[in-house]
Amino acid sequence: MVDLKGQYEGVKDQVNSSISNILDSSAFINGPDVHAFQKELEDYLGVKHVIPCANGTDALQICMMGLGLKPGDEVITADFTFAATVEVIALLNLTPVLVDVDPDTFNIDVEAVERAITPKTKAIVPVHLFGQCADMDALMQLAQKHNLYVIEDNAQAIGAVHTSKDGSKQKAGTIGHVASTSFFPSKNLGCYGDGGAIFTNDDDLAHTIRGIVNHGMYVRYHHDVVGVNSRLDSIQAAVLRAKLPKLDEYNESRRRAAKKYNRAFEGQEHIIRPKTVNGCQGICETCDCHVFHQYTLRITNGKRDALAQHLNDKGIPCGVYYPIPLHKQKAYADERYNEDDFKVTNQLVEEVISLPMHTELDDEQIAFITKTVVDFVNG
Ligand SMILES: *Cc1c(COP(=O)(O)O)cnc(C)c1O
């Protein structure tokens, strides 16, 4: 699904020399690379504060702790996403409220969010799934109307650009009150272990969060709030520093691959291609709204599982993200949920399949993959 080795070749010299310097200096924790990476990412995103931490799941949890959410507060998020999002809500004894998604973008359905708002609702967590932003204009408007926080889960969309209805552009993860991201190796900006970060433009919240990631300390050995230990280590920061300058190029390679996939699947009766928010199908030459963390098709003639098996047999990696809606997971099932409210997710889990997507895909690979998919689906 990903080619980390191929990508490493392009940053090898810098990564190896930075890691070797860190080994020589023994500055493993809170070394200069961590601080430098923080600044470089702030500049790249155009956000006031980046707070590095240990992984994307911690980042989400720390966002919620930083906002002071309390047990019983309801947090609305998407039913169709990776479990980390709902997991941390539950861990903090907040009440997860899952809602359906949009069938075109796979992102949280804003009307479903609105219907789910109660007097206990405190926050909305849109997940910018597979690499493009949820409808942030509508979500921010809704949040303002109901006095809610918006926490962007930006683990899959770093570098994506969100264009508002007024034409203004912001990077994904800098629009809500606070955002989280993950630097897991297979993410669009991945390190060589675990890593994550929190972004915000709010000075007070940034201050609160800087203490939370460090055991609730604002002054050494004075623990003002209950915190956690969540750090990005120097070696991971050095890897990220080598890769950040190439992130736009990496995302452009993904978009190029997506365009080729899109062209090959054009006009296929049983294959729905991923739709981008501006309707250009990712084949417009200037589009920067989608960074294709995943390239996900919908197979509408019931052959998805058989296709996955066939691709495996042919040595083509593929993935089903995600096979089970969160509201049907044992850990998160709740009698309040009504199947009629999850029509889209329930259908998507039967139809979606993600094809190999990374920065090193070449034309020959794409031609082989697309021909294999088309022949099988129509066969
Ligand atoms: C990867 C991912 C996470 C979790 O990140 P980790 O660094 O693995 O903890 C959270 N949310 C989404 C949507 C993700 O894709």
Side-chain angles (χ1 to χ4, degrees), residues 89-359:
I89 299 172
L91 264 178
L92 293 172
N93 283 318
L94 312 171
T95 305
V97 177
L98 297 167
V99 301
D100 214 354
V101 297
D102 177 273
D104 289 336
T105 63
F106 309 122
N107 274 324
I108 198 163
D109 175 341
V110 180
E111 283 169 22
V113 172
E114 184 153 31
R115 284 193 296 274
I117 292 172
T118 76
K120 289 186 177 171
T121 308
K122 288 284 155 35
I124 308 167
V125 187
V127 181
H128 301 323
L129 205 72
F130 302 154
Q132 77 175 324
C133 283
D135 185 350
M136 290 303 290
D137 282 345
L139 286 167
M140 293 310 290
Q141 216 172 2
L142 198 60
Q144 194 171 15
K145 181 169 156 200
H146 295 273
N147 202 18
L148 308 174
Y149 294 118
V150 174
I151 304 165
E152 295 173 75
D153 181 343
N154 197 32
Q156 300 189 2
I158 196 157
V161 176
H162 179 264
T163 306
S164 291
K165 292 198 178 68
D166 68 5
S168 63
K169 288 180 183 284
Q170 286 162 292
K171 290 250 165 68
T174 68
I175 308 155
H177 299 93
V178 63
S180 62
T181 202
S182 164
F183 304 122
F184 186 78
S186 64
K187 306 288 184 184
N188 290 37
L189 179 62
C191 56
Y192 294 158
D194 274 307
I198 297 145
F199 322 142
T200 184
N201 283 310
D202 181 328
D203 297 339
D204 293 337
L205 182 59
H207 174 76
T208 303
I209 286 175
R210 287 210 171 87
I212 290 174
V213 298
N214 187 26
H215 301 289
M217 282 195 287
Y218 298 90
V219 176
R220 205 150 193 214
Y221 299 123
H222 293 252
H223 303 272
D224 294 354
V225 296
V226 177
V228 294
N229 168 27
S230 191
R231 292 185 283 245
L232 181 73
D233 69 66
S234 302
I235 288 179
Q236 301 311 331
V239 172
L240 291 164
R241 288 190 73 195
K243 288 174 124 195
L244 179 60
K246 292 178 177 274
L247 177 58
D248 285 343
E249 196 185 299
Y250 292 158
N251 284 339
E252 191 50 44
S253 313
R254 288 170 176 271
R255 271 194 291 271
R256 255 200 314 272
K259 279 176 204 168
K260 288 178 186 149
Y261 276 142
N262 275 342
R263 287 191 177 129
F265 296 130
E266 196 171 352
Q268 289 296 320
E269 192 186 346
H270 307 297
I271 299 176
I272 301 180
R273 300 173 296 173
K275 294 201 174 72
T276 47
V277 276
N278 61 5
C280 67
Q281 295 270 0
I283 46 179
C284 103
E285 307 299 328
T286 57
C287 185
D288 49 9
C289 62
H290 203 317
V291 294
F292 290 97
H293 175 61
Q294 297 293 349
Y295 181 86
T296 303
L297 297 174
R298 292 170 57 190
I299 306 299
T300 57
N301 61 351
K303 288 178 111 177
R304 193 274 313 272
D305 287 339
L307 173 63
Q309 184 58 51
H310 179 70
L311 293 177
N312 270 326
D313 294 345
K314 292 272 177 186
I316 299 172
C318 64
V320 171
Y321 310 115
Y322 296 91
I324 305 171
L326 289 177
H327 81 275
K328 288 187 180 169
Q329 298 283 359
K330 271 193 204 154
Y332 307 111
D334 190 314
E335 58 203 12
R336 290 172 313 154
Y337 293 137
N338 177 348
E339 287 308 319
D340 282 347
D341 293 331
F342 299 103
K343 288 204 183 83
V344 177
T345 308
N346 286 342
Q347 186 176 349
L348 291 178
V349 296
E350 304 290 334
E351 294 180 347
V352 289
I353 188 163
S354 301
L355 300 182
M357 175 48 78
H358 53 80
T359 56

